[in-house]
Amino acid sequence: MRYGGTSRGATMTVRNVFIISPSKRVELILSYPAFIGRNFNEILRVVDGLQLSAKYQVATPVNWQPGDDTVVLPFISDEEAERMFGVGGGFRKVRCYLRYVLDPSLRSLLVSQPHAAPGVREGTD
């Protein structure tokens, strides 16, 4: 394959997926060649991650799925992160630039039913 078409010179359609925020900002563009099918599970995962990030100021790490741990955005201080996520949020600092919290969208579930939420780590005596 070469730029501008297939090796035989025929042109094919490139399909794009655009995700546009409510503020009319393009958040994501995925381009798929005509001979590769789109992955709707990935598109839904990206929409979930974008909504989570917009609402809770977290980032989603590689291969993130809803309910998995998230990463605190770098411009949020440790003190602010502790205030935002510390109580029942599973705030843990791995490096000065890498701080994890439990999926904040599960916070109400964690508070009301602490043993029912997936991914909750309980201490051992």
Side-chain angles (χ1 to χ4, degrees):
M1 176 85 65
R2 62 185 170 79
Y3 182 75
T6 63
S7 58
R8 296 184 184 140
T11 58
M12 298 180 78
T13 302
V14 173
R15 295 170 294 181
N16 291 302
V17 174
F18 295 90
I19 297 179
I20 302 171
S21 71
S23 63
K24 297 183 175 38
R25 191 175 99 181
V26 175
E27 298 290 341
L28 176 84
I29 302 172
L30 291 171
S31 296
Y32 292 89
F35 47 87
I36 302 295
R38 287 166 282 200
N39 183 336
F40 284 100
N41 289 330
E42 173 62 7
I43 294 167
L44 292 174
R45 186 189 78 83
V46 168
V47 169
D48 288 340
L50 287 168
Q51 290 174 338
L52 189 74
S53 181
K55 186 171 183 179
Y56 296 105
Q57 296 185 331
V58 293
T60 55
V62 65
N63 297 325
W64 173 86
Q65 293 294 320
D68 290 351
D69 288 355
T70 58
V71 177
V72 177
L73 293 176
F75 60 81
I76 297 173
S77 69
D78 286 349
E79 295 77 23
E80 182 73 8
E82 281 282 355
R83 187 184 65 71
M84 292 170 65
F85 306 110
V87 180
F91 177 83
R92 69 184 195 286
K93 185 174 179 177
V94 177
R95 299 269 189 271
C96 62
Y97 55 86
L98 184 58
R99 298 150 317 146
Y100 288 99
V101 293
L102 299 175
D103 182 337
S105 66
L106 301 177
R107 187 177 180 120
S108 61
L109 178 62
L110 291 172
V111 172
S112 63
Q113 301 173 2
H115 300 290
V120 175
R121 296 175 199 83
E122 294 186 12
T124 57
D125 293 330

